[in-house]
Amino acid sequence: MRHWYGVRRLYEVAFRDRVLLLLVLGIGAYYVVWSAVQWLTLTPESLRFDFVNYFGGAQAAAHGTDIYADFKRSWGTQAWVVAYIYPPFFALVLAPLTSLGLLAAARIWLLVVQAAFVASLLLMLRIHPELTRGGRRLLLLAAFGFMPVYLNVKFQQVATVWLVLITATLWAALRRRTGLSGAFIAAAASLKVSPIFLIPLFARLGRWRIALTGGVMLVVLTVATMLAAPGSWQFFTVVLPRIGLGTANWDNGSIDGLVSRIAEMAPHLFGNATQTVAKAVIAAAAIAVIGVTLWFARHGTEETWTLRLSVSALVTALLIVSSVTWQHHLVTLLLPLATGIAWITVRRPGARYSWWLFAAYAMCWMDRRAFPLPADMQVHSWTDAALVLAGTSVKLVGLLLLWTLLLQMLRLEAQQASVRRPDRSVAGAAAQPAA
């Protein structure tokens, strides 16, 4: 096949770059048109998924009332679908928009979401100067063709804002801008708690000034927002404990979701201790995944690669162990994807790494609706159960593939560091004059 005319031309760099450019222009034009239609056709009905909850929390913050009142009135552990569940900082940021009304505020918010997406891509290109022209085009093609990006825009989500803050943290750290990096960590962790693990990651990498600055700024920002939003301390005492239990929803792609589905389908698997065992497994998985990620994050031959790979691995790990990982959350995988493409471009480790990365991307792109799961969302037999568990775990498999790939890249960086250290020692000894 390699010698066929159409296939043979793809091995020519110039031709391949032209094909990628045409594909990027095509998918980019589609994305722009699709986004414009989404923005122009917003209705209160289309905002019902999450933005109404954002807006309600912002209204409460603007009027000095309890931003978690709806959450506390909601029933059980499913309250995350009908109420504001984010830290108070997000509600305070959106509060100035509430005077404009729901639709106007939503349109402004969507512009922020789009700006964050574009800014993230620009920062990724700055962070990874090793990307060739073809590599940059491949990244843009993957970004504009990534299903979670479209879901993020369709449902007015915050994933691109998390992405730009985490990417900006890495960009600032690479340029030794300690204050900026700490500020971005504090802002990211104030919108979604999981980026707080960036603090121990930077400490593990020996970047103590960033870790300390980020920790102090996070404490200051948290105290300030809690004082500005009455009753917001309930986020830590009521909201986090409840949403931390996760959900068995078929769209939850984390380990928490998989274990919760198993416990729901087989409630007597371990007798009366089934729920306790499930919680223990979820907690153990979180500790193990994050712990292994921090363990692999150590100095390699080049600090910049170690830093980029470590942050990317942590971003992926947090999605794996989050209490809830919807598909639109996977927008943050664009940073690990960019890092993987750049590392493969420089290190040239073999074709299997490219296929490994592509398989992870494809599985994270897919949705459970691509599988013949029961239409009534009910499990009627053990065959249905096996099919549901398999079809709803494709995103998790993709996340695990990407995570293990990044750990393998970190391992190779560490190996190269251990090889070069003896070489430098031998060279130094040879340079010393004889006694």
Side-chain angles (χ1 to χ4, degrees):
M1 290 180 59
R2 180 170 181 171
H3 299 289
W4 295 359
Y5 175 77
V7 176
R8 187 177 72 244
R9 291 298 306 275
L10 292 176
Y11 284 88
E12 301 173 11
V13 176
F15 178 78
R16 189 168 63 239
D17 285 350
R18 286 196 295 271
V19 171
L20 283 173
L21 178 59
L22 290 175
L23 291 174
V24 169
L25 291 175
I27 192 66
Y30 173 80
Y31 178 81
V32 170
V33 172
W34 184 87
S35 297
V37 171
Q38 292 290 317
W39 192 82
L40 293 171
T41 59
L42 277 181
T43 63
E45 177 65 16
S46 65
L47 299 174
R48 71 187 185 278
F49 295 101
D50 275 324
F51 188 79
V52 168
N53 297 330
Y54 304 163
F55 192 77
Q59 282 183 316
H63 293 90
T65 56
D66 186 1
I67 61 178
Y68 300 114
D70 289 340
F71 181 89
K72 290 184 293 184
R73 283 195 295 267
S74 301
W75 176 81
T77 60
Q78 304 301 312
W80 43 263
V81 301
V82 293
Y84 181 83
I85 61 171
Y86 296 89
F89 176 70
F90 186 30
L92 291 169
V93 168
L94 291 181
L97 299 181
T98 56
S99 61
L100 303 175
L102 180 64
L103 281 177
R107 287 198 168 97
I108 293 175
W109 170 247
L110 267 185
L111 293 177
V112 172
V113 168
Q114 294 285 10
F117 176 54
V118 174
S120 299
L121 293 178
L122 293 175
L123 281 173
M124 287 177 208
L125 296 177
R126 296 290 298 275
I127 287 171
H128 303 296
E130 302 88 354
L131 286 171
T132 61
R133 178 185 300 174
R136 292 193 296 269
R137 291 173 181 176
L138 181 63
L139 173 61
L140 294 176
L141 178 62
F144 287 113
F146 199 31
M147 181 60 72
V149 171
Y150 290 85
L151 294 176
N152 182 76
V153 174
K154 181 178 180 180
F155 299 121
Q156 306 89 35
Q157 295 296 326
V158 298
T160 55
V161 179
W162 302 334
L163 175 62
V164 74
L165 289 172
I166 294 172
T167 308
T169 299
L170 178 56
W171 171 83
L174 289 169
R175 282 156 180 76
R176 301 283 176 174
R177 299 183 180 181
T178 302
L180 273 178
S181 189
F184 288 134
I185 290 175
S190 296
L191 286 176
K192 183 178 175 64
V193 176
S194 58
I196 197 173
F197 287 100
L198 286 168
I199 294 174
L201 175 67
F202 280 110
R204 166 68 172 164
L205 293 171
R207 304 294 292 273
W208 285 99
R209 291 181 62 189
I210 291 178
L212 292 173
T213 303
V216 170
M217 288 187 174
L218 178 59
V219 171
V220 171
L221 186 57
T222 301
V223 171
T225 54
M226 289 177 68
L227 292 175
S232 57
W233 52 268
Q234 297 171 100
F235 175 74
F236 301 99
T237 59
V238 178
V239 181
L240 269 184
R242 189 176 297 179
I243 66 175
L245 297 176
T247 171
N249 189 295
W250 288 9
D251 290 318
N252 185 6
S254 66
I255 289 178
D256 190 314
L258 175 61
V259 174
S260 297
R261 285 189 288 275
I262 294 173
E264 184 179 75
M265 293 176 188
H268 303 295
L269 185 62
F270 295 97
N272 295 331
T274 299
Q275 289 298 321
T276 302
V277 171
K279 292 176 183 178
V281 170
I282 290 170
I287 294 171
V289 171
I290 295 175
V292 168
T293 305
L294 294 177
W295 174 257
F296 272 80
R298 54 184 181 270
H299 294 296
T301 53
E302 297 181 21
E303 183 186 8
T304 58
W305 274 122
T306 303
L307 183 56
R308 284 181 279 180
L309 290 169
S310 297
V311 171
S312 297
L314 181 65
V315 168
T316 310
L318 293 177
L319 291 170
I320 292 172
V321 300
S322 175
S323 58
V324 176
T325 297
W326 305 131
Q327 192 171 19
H328 57 77
H329 292 162
L330 304 189
V331 167
T332 54
L333 291 181
L334 292 178
L335 176 58
L337 181 67
T339 303
I341 294 173
W343 188 88
I344 291 171
T345 300
V346 173
R347 300 300 188 213
R348 299 185 179 277
R352 69 186 181 93
Y353 283 81
S354 299
W355 287 112
W356 194 343
L357 185 62
F358 175 76
Y361 174 85
M363 288 187 173
C364 290
W365 194 97
M366 292 181 67
D367 183 74
R368 64 170 174 81
R369 292 165 184 81
F371 300 88
L373 304 185
D376 59 359
M377 300 287 289
Q378 299 295 322
V379 175
H380 304 284
S381 64
W382 285 110
T383 303
D384 282 352
L387 184 61
V388 167
L389 291 177
T392 58
S393 300
V394 174
K395 293 192 292 291
L396 178 58
V397 173
L399 288 169
L400 289 170
L401 280 175
L402 182 56
W403 179 63
T404 53
L405 176 61
L406 293 165
L407 295 185
Q408 171 67 3
M409 292 174 178
L410 278 167
R411 189 181 69 83
L412 292 178
E413 288 295 311
Q415 283 182 349
Q416 291 187 25
S418 62
V419 168
R420 291 190 181 186
R421 286 193 196 103
D423 291 345
R424 286 196 293 268
S425 301
V426 170
Q432 292 179 0

